[in-house]
Amino acid sequence: MSTLTKKDSNSSIITDSDYILEVNDLKKHFPVKAGILQRNVGSVKAVDGLSFKVKKGETIGIVGESGCGKSTAGRTLIRLYEPTAGDIFFKGRNISKMSESELRRTVRKDIQMVFQDPYASLNPRKTLKSILLEPMKTHNMYKGKEREDKLDELLDRVGFNPLFINRYPHEFSGGQRQRIGIARALTLNPDLIIADEAVSALDVSIQAQIINLMKDLQEEMGLTYVFISHDLSVVRHISDRVGVMYLGKIMEFAPKKDIYEEPLHPYTQALLSAVPTPRKKGAAPRERIILKGDLPSPANPPTGCVFHTRCPAATAMCSEKVPEFREVKKDHFVACHLY
Ligand code: SF4
């Protein structure tokens, strides 16, 4: 996707201020080691060339089957994993090669993550108060009364009774714990939140409450989200634009309406055929497309189009030539030889 408006990949300044995040050919490969000497014998291409841009205040959904690399992508975006290659521009600065100290000094507090399992990510020995105070202390933000005010504000934002402040994580329900995870992410007034399967562990009714809370917070605070999930229905509720990932690559990227009503990529079509979703007015009912075989290993991805081993529309060319990821209609990008 040739979408960047920057001087060059080493430049720290880009000119397109509409975009808060620009990802350019991002890769994360994990080495595979073997033998007594633990020699490198290959690599797992968990993320293999992602490019997309995120506008300030919008929500990008990243969807795909388990093992497609979407969680690795989220962790690489926030530099929890070191990128193998590619660039990540956040508010115009290339953060992909920044040192940890520079990251901490400049952008760490502006990008926060909300994880799938709030219980695992909350220290069971800390009260709600100390969980929320910790990021303020680490980043030396707010003092004295300001901190108390900030705590009150956070509790109010996520709908918590201030009397809960001295309770421990095990005293809360799953939905409440995810509210704590969100409050903690908001402590430092971030611009961007990467939510990785943030509602997947919750019951459907609680999922809806958390999604609505996230939408309200986005409106009130001007937040930008990258929302990662395997669940197409959840992604549809929250996203403005959606990227569909398969074996470390984005297969299709488009406004939500295009993805759900007129998917172009055979993989997106197959995924959507398995879930009840709205169709374009007058469109014929979707036929269920059963994909053959399992997801191939990212340690040994298929040649050509990585989807060709399961694609119902594959031709001889598909196993040889990598399809270009290109804009086939306005804002609608697809990696497929059919377009
Ligand atoms: Fe299917 Fe070929 Fe398109 Fe890949 S490039 S999605 S194999 S038709």
Side-chain angles (χ1 to χ4, degrees), residues 55-85:
K55 286 181 209 144
K56 189 167 166 32
E58 77 168 337
T59 300
I60 293 291
I62 302 285
V63 72
E65 292 166 281
S66 158
C68 72
K70 56 193 187 303
S71 289
T72 304
R75 283 168 164 75
T76 311
L77 285 179
I78 200 173
R79 290 280 309 271
L80 289 179
Y81 292 151
E82 280 305 299
T84 305

mmCIF file of all heavy atoms in Angstrom, residues 55-85:
data_model
loop_
_atom_site.group_PDB
_atom_site.id
_atom_site.type_symbol
_atom_site.label_atom_id
_atom_site.label_comp_id
_atom_site.label_asym_id
_atom_site.label_seq_id
_atom_site.Cartn_x
_atom_site.Cartn_y
_atom_site.Cartn_z
ATOM 1 N N LYS A 55 -6.257 7.226 11.148
ATOM 2 C CA LYS A 55 -6.568 8.644 11.359
ATOM 3 C C LYS A 55 -6.819 8.906 12.834
ATOM 4 O O LYS A 55 -7.311 8.021 13.542
ATOM 5 C CB LYS A 55 -7.832 9.027 10.589
ATOM 6 C CG LYS A 55 -7.634 9.142 9.112
ATOM 7 C CD LYS A 55 -8.950 9.541 8.463
ATOM 8 C CE LYS A 55 -9.001 8.989 7.055
ATOM 9 N NZ LYS A 55 -10.305 8.552 6.622
ATOM 10 N N LYS A 56 -6.530 10.114 13.247
ATOM 11 C CA LYS A 56 -6.792 10.489 14.634
ATOM 12 C C LYS A 56 -8.288 10.356 14.935
ATOM 13 O O LYS A 56 -9.127 10.812 14.162
ATOM 14 C CB LYS A 56 -6.336 11.934 14.859
ATOM 15 C CG LYS A 56 -6.366 12.332 16.295
ATOM 16 C CD LYS A 56 -5.630 13.630 16.528
ATOM 17 C CE LYS A 56 -5.932 14.225 17.881
ATOM 18 N NZ LYS A 56 -6.207 13.315 18.961
ATOM 19 N N GLY A 57 -8.612 9.690 16.025
ATOM 20 C CA GLY A 57 -10.000 9.576 16.458
ATOM 21 C C GLY A 57 -10.780 8.428 15.837
ATOM 22 O O GLY A 57 -11.944 8.231 16.142
ATOM 23 N N GLU A 58 -10.154 7.635 14.952
ATOM 24 C CA GLU A 58 -10.899 6.523 14.351
ATOM 25 C C GLU A 58 -10.515 5.203 15.008
ATOM 26 O O GLU A 58 -9.576 5.119 15.799
ATOM 27 C CB GLU A 58 -10.679 6.459 12.834
ATOM 28 C CG GLU A 58 -9.371 5.878 12.395
ATOM 29 C CD GLU A 58 -9.317 5.572 10.889
ATOM 30 O OE1 GLU A 58 -10.358 5.401 10.239
ATOM 31 O OE2 GLU A 58 -8.188 5.495 10.364
ATOM 32 N N THR A 59 -11.283 4.176 14.670
ATOM 33 C CA THR A 59 -10.973 2.835 15.159
ATOM 34 C C THR A 59 -10.694 1.927 13.973
ATOM 35 O O THR A 59 -11.528 1.792 13.079
ATOM 36 C CB THR A 59 -12.157 2.255 15.962
ATOM 37 O OG1 THR A 59 -12.413 3.116 17.069
ATOM 38 C CG2 THR A 59 -11.837 0.860 16.472
ATOM 39 N N ILE A 60 -9.508 1.343 13.999
ATOM 40 C CA ILE A 60 -9.149 0.356 12.984
ATOM 41 C C ILE A 60 -9.325 -1.018 13.611
ATOM 42 O O ILE A 60 -8.776 -1.296 14.684
ATOM 43 C CB ILE A 60 -7.673 0.529 12.557
ATOM 44 C CG1 ILE A 60 -7.466 1.850 11.826
ATOM 45 C CG2 ILE A 60 -7.203 -0.641 11.694
ATOM 46 C CD1 ILE A 60 -8.109 1.952 10.476
ATOM 47 N N GLY A 61 -10.105 -1.870 12.984
ATOM 48 C CA GLY A 61 -10.237 -3.250 13.452
ATOM 49 C C GLY A 61 -9.256 -4.124 12.701
ATOM 50 O O GLY A 61 -9.101 -3.982 11.485
ATOM 51 N N ILE A 62 -8.556 -4.989 13.427
ATOM 52 C CA ILE A 62 -7.699 -5.975 12.771
ATOM 53 C C ILE A 62 -8.278 -7.340 13.125
ATOM 54 O O ILE A 62 -8.350 -7.707 14.303
ATOM 55 C CB ILE A 62 -6.229 -5.885 13.268
ATOM 56 C CG1 ILE A 62 -5.642 -4.486 13.030
ATOM 57 C CG2 ILE A 62 -5.367 -6.975 12.620
ATOM 58 C CD1 ILE A 62 -5.284 -4.159 11.611
ATOM 59 N N VAL A 63 -8.706 -8.062 12.088
ATOM 60 C CA VAL A 63 -9.416 -9.313 12.347
ATOM 61 C C VAL A 63 -8.741 -10.461 11.594
ATOM 62 O O VAL A 63 -8.123 -10.256 10.553
ATOM 63 C CB VAL A 63 -10.908 -9.130 11.941
ATOM 64 C CG1 VAL A 63 -11.090 -9.065 10.451
ATOM 65 C CG2 VAL A 63 -11.791 -10.191 12.540
ATOM 66 N N GLY A 64 -8.846 -11.648 12.151
ATOM 67 C CA GLY A 64 -8.284 -12.839 11.492
ATOM 68 C C GLY A 64 -8.347 -14.014 12.440
ATOM 69 O O GLY A 64 -8.608 -13.854 13.632
ATOM 70 N N GLU A 65 -8.092 -15.206 11.881
ATOM 71 C CA GLU A 65 -8.127 -16.414 12.712
ATOM 72 C C GLU A 65 -7.005 -16.394 13.729
ATOM 73 O O GLU A 65 -6.002 -15.699 13.545
ATOM 74 C CB GLU A 65 -7.904 -17.654 11.833
ATOM 75 C CG GLU A 65 -9.010 -17.974 10.870
ATOM 76 C CD GLU A 65 -8.552 -19.002 9.832
ATOM 77 O OE1 GLU A 65 -7.858 -18.623 8.878
ATOM 78 O OE2 GLU A 65 -8.907 -20.167 9.974
ATOM 79 N N SER A 66 -7.158 -17.231 14.745
ATOM 80 C CA SER A 66 -6.098 -17.388 15.728
ATOM 81 C C SER A 66 -4.826 -17.856 15.007
ATOM 82 O O SER A 66 -4.885 -18.732 14.136
ATOM 83 C CB SER A 66 -6.601 -18.415 16.743
ATOM 84 O OG SER A 66 -5.544 -18.991 17.391
ATOM 85 N N GLY A 67 -3.692 -17.249 15.323
ATOM 86 C CA GLY A 67 -2.432 -17.645 14.691
ATOM 87 C C GLY A 67 -2.105 -16.843 13.442
ATOM 88 O O GLY A 67 -1.101 -17.096 12.781
ATOM 89 N N CYS A 68 -2.935 -15.832 13.102
ATOM 90 C CA CYS A 68 -2.673 -15.072 11.867
ATOM 91 C C CYS A 68 -1.645 -13.963 12.083
ATOM 92 O O CYS A 68 -1.217 -13.316 11.147
ATOM 93 C CB CYS A 68 -3.962 -14.485 11.301
ATOM 94 S SG CYS A 68 -4.603 -13.105 12.272
ATOM 95 N N GLY A 69 -1.275 -13.726 13.352
ATOM 96 C CA GLY A 69 -0.236 -12.730 13.624
ATOM 97 C C GLY A 69 -0.775 -11.409 14.129
ATOM 98 O O GLY A 69 -0.019 -10.459 14.345
ATOM 99 N N LYS A 70 -2.094 -11.321 14.366
ATOM 100 C CA LYS A 70 -2.654 -10.010 14.730
ATOM 101 C C LYS A 70 -2.192 -9.543 16.111
ATOM 102 O O LYS A 70 -1.914 -8.360 16.306
ATOM 103 C CB LYS A 70 -4.190 -10.010 14.611
ATOM 104 C CG LYS A 70 -4.904 -11.075 15.416
ATOM 105 C CD LYS A 70 -6.354 -11.181 14.973
ATOM 106 C CE LYS A 70 -7.132 -12.122 15.888
ATOM 107 N NZ LYS A 70 -6.600 -13.483 16.000
ATOM 108 N N SER A 71 -2.085 -10.464 17.091
ATOM 109 C CA SER A 71 -1.617 -10.049 18.421
ATOM 110 C C SER A 71 -0.146 -9.661 18.381
ATOM 111 O O SER A 71 0.266 -8.692 19.028
ATOM 112 C CB SER A 71 -1.808 -11.178 19.440
ATOM 113 O OG SER A 71 -3.178 -11.328 19.691
ATOM 114 N N THR A 72 0.644 -10.404 17.615
ATOM 115 C CA THR A 72 2.063 -10.036 17.449
ATOM 116 C C THR A 72 2.155 -8.653 16.814
ATOM 117 O O THR A 72 2.990 -7.829 17.213
ATOM 118 C CB THR A 72 2.789 -11.081 16.569
ATOM 119 O OG1 THR A 72 2.623 -12.356 17.169
ATOM 120 C CG2 THR A 72 4.270 -10.759 16.432
ATOM 121 N N ALA A 73 1.272 -8.387 15.856
ATOM 122 C CA ALA A 73 1.275 -7.069 15.211
ATOM 123 C C ALA A 73 1.026 -5.986 16.258
ATOM 124 O O ALA A 73 1.728 -4.972 16.299
ATOM 125 C CB ALA A 73 0.221 -7.019 14.108
ATOM 126 N N GLY A 74 0.025 -6.201 17.128
ATOM 127 C CA GLY A 74 -0.291 -5.206 18.163
ATOM 128 C C GLY A 74 0.884 -4.965 19.082
ATOM 129 O O GLY A 74 1.219 -3.810 19.387
ATOM 130 N N ARG A 75 1.523 -6.034 19.489
ATOM 131 C CA ARG A 75 2.665 -5.888 20.413
ATOM 132 C C ARG A 75 3.862 -5.252 19.719
ATOM 133 O O ARG A 75 4.664 -4.576 20.352
ATOM 134 C CB ARG A 75 3.035 -7.253 21.002
ATOM 135 C CG ARG A 75 2.073 -7.685 22.085
ATOM 136 C CD ARG A 75 2.275 -9.150 22.465
ATOM 137 N NE ARG A 75 1.629 -9.472 23.724
ATOM 138 C CZ ARG A 75 0.323 -9.626 23.883
ATOM 139 N NH1 ARG A 75 -0.488 -9.475 22.856
ATOM 140 N NH2 ARG A 75 -0.187 -9.914 25.065
ATOM 141 N N THR A 76 3.994 -5.489 18.419
ATOM 142 C CA THR A 76 5.114 -4.872 17.685
ATOM 143 C C THR A 76 4.849 -3.385 17.477
ATOM 144 O O THR A 76 5.774 -2.564 17.567
ATOM 145 C CB THR A 76 5.328 -5.596 16.332
ATOM 146 O OG1 THR A 76 5.376 -7.002 16.572
ATOM 147 C CG2 THR A 76 6.636 -5.168 15.675
ATOM 148 N N LEU A 77 3.565 -3.035 17.254
ATOM 149 C CA LEU A 77 3.230 -1.616 17.070
ATOM 150 C C LEU A 77 3.618 -0.789 18.287
ATOM 151 O O LEU A 77 4.022 0.361 18.178
ATOM 152 C CB LEU A 77 1.712 -1.450 16.859
ATOM 153 C CG LEU A 77 1.139 -1.850 15.514
ATOM 154 C CD1 LEU A 77 -0.358 -1.632 15.516
ATOM 155 C CD2 LEU A 77 1.785 -1.034 14.414
ATOM 156 N N ILE A 78 3.469 -1.396 19.460
ATOM 157 C CA ILE A 78 3.729 -0.653 20.699
ATOM 158 C C ILE A 78 5.177 -0.884 21.183
ATOM 159 O O ILE A 78 5.576 -0.431 22.238
ATOM 160 C CB ILE A 78 2.692 -1.066 21.776
ATOM 161 C CG1 ILE A 78 2.561 -0.053 22.874
ATOM 162 C CG2 ILE A 78 2.902 -2.425 22.323
ATOM 163 C CD1 ILE A 78 1.427 -0.341 23.860
ATOM 164 N N ARG A 79 5.928 -1.635 20.374
ATOM 165 C CA ARG A 79 7.352 -1.937 20.649
ATOM 166 C C ARG A 79 7.543 -2.836 21.880
ATOM 167 O O ARG A 79 8.581 -2.777 22.535
ATOM 168 C CB ARG A 79 8.173 -0.651 20.786
ATOM 169 C CG ARG A 79 8.375 0.147 19.504
ATOM 170 C CD ARG A 79 9.480 -0.413 18.628
ATOM 171 N NE ARG A 79 10.725 -0.640 19.333
ATOM 172 C CZ ARG A 79 11.677 0.243 19.473
ATOM 173 N NH1 ARG A 79 11.538 1.433 18.937
ATOM 174 N NH2 ARG A 79 12.767 -0.061 20.125
ATOM 175 N N LEU A 80 6.513 -3.651 22.197
ATOM 176 C CA LEU A 80 6.742 -4.699 23.197
ATOM 177 C C LEU A 80 7.594 -5.772 22.536
ATOM 178 O O LEU A 80 8.320 -6.497 23.197
ATOM 179 C CB LEU A 80 5.417 -5.298 23.686
ATOM 180 C CG LEU A 80 4.560 -4.402 24.577
ATOM 181 C CD1 LEU A 80 3.272 -5.097 24.972
ATOM 182 C CD2 LEU A 80 5.320 -3.982 25.829
ATOM 183 N N TYR A 81 7.441 -5.938 21.212
ATOM 184 C CA TYR A 81 8.348 -6.758 20.406
ATOM 185 C C TYR A 81 9.124 -5.811 19.497
ATOM 186 O O TYR A 81 8.546 -4.857 18.960
ATOM 187 C CB TYR A 81 7.582 -7.738 19.522
ATOM 188 C CG TYR A 81 6.839 -8.840 20.245
ATOM 189 C CD1 TYR A 81 5.688 -9.381 19.690
ATOM 190 C CD2 TYR A 81 7.295 -9.363 21.456
ATOM 191 C CE1 TYR A 81 4.997 -10.401 20.325
ATOM 192 C CE2 TYR A 81 6.608 -10.379 22.093
ATOM 193 C CZ TYR A 81 5.451 -10.889 21.530
ATOM 194 O OH TYR A 81 4.769 -11.890 22.155
ATOM 195 N N GLU A 82 10.399 -6.116 19.329
ATOM 196 C CA GLU A 82 11.217 -5.332 18.410
ATOM 197 C C GLU A 82 10.849 -5.678 16.968
ATOM 198 O O GLU A 82 10.855 -6.858 16.607
ATOM 199 C CB GLU A 82 12.700 -5.652 18.632
ATOM 200 C CG GLU A 82 13.299 -4.937 19.829
ATOM 201 C CD GLU A 82 13.096 -3.429 19.738
ATOM 202 O OE1 GLU A 82 13.591 -2.828 18.780
ATOM 203 O OE2 GLU A 82 12.423 -2.872 20.623
ATOM 204 N N PRO A 83 10.540 -4.696 16.129
ATOM 205 C CA PRO A 83 10.241 -5.021 14.730
ATOM 206 C C PRO A 83 11.480 -5.614 14.039
ATOM 207 O O PRO A 83 12.615 -5.191 14.321
ATOM 208 C CB PRO A 83 9.905 -3.668 14.108
ATOM 209 C CG PRO A 83 9.739 -2.707 15.233
ATOM 210 C CD PRO A 83 10.468 -3.262 16.410
ATOM 211 N N THR A 84 11.261 -6.571 13.156
ATOM 212 C CA THR A 84 12.370 -7.122 12.353
ATOM 213 C C THR A 84 12.701 -6.146 11.219
ATOM 214 O O THR A 84 13.858 -5.974 10.854
ATOM 215 C CB THR A 84 11.952 -8.494 11.765
ATOM 216 O OG1 THR A 84 11.542 -9.327 12.844
ATOM 217 C CG2 THR A 84 13.083 -9.154 11.005
ATOM 218 N N ALA A 85 11.670 -5.523 10.672
ATOM 219 C CA ALA A 85 11.864 -4.531 9.601
ATOM 220 C C ALA A 85 10.623 -3.660 9.518
ATOM 221 O O ALA A 85 9.587 -3.987 10.095
ATOM 222 C CB ALA A 85 12.094 -5.232 8.264
#
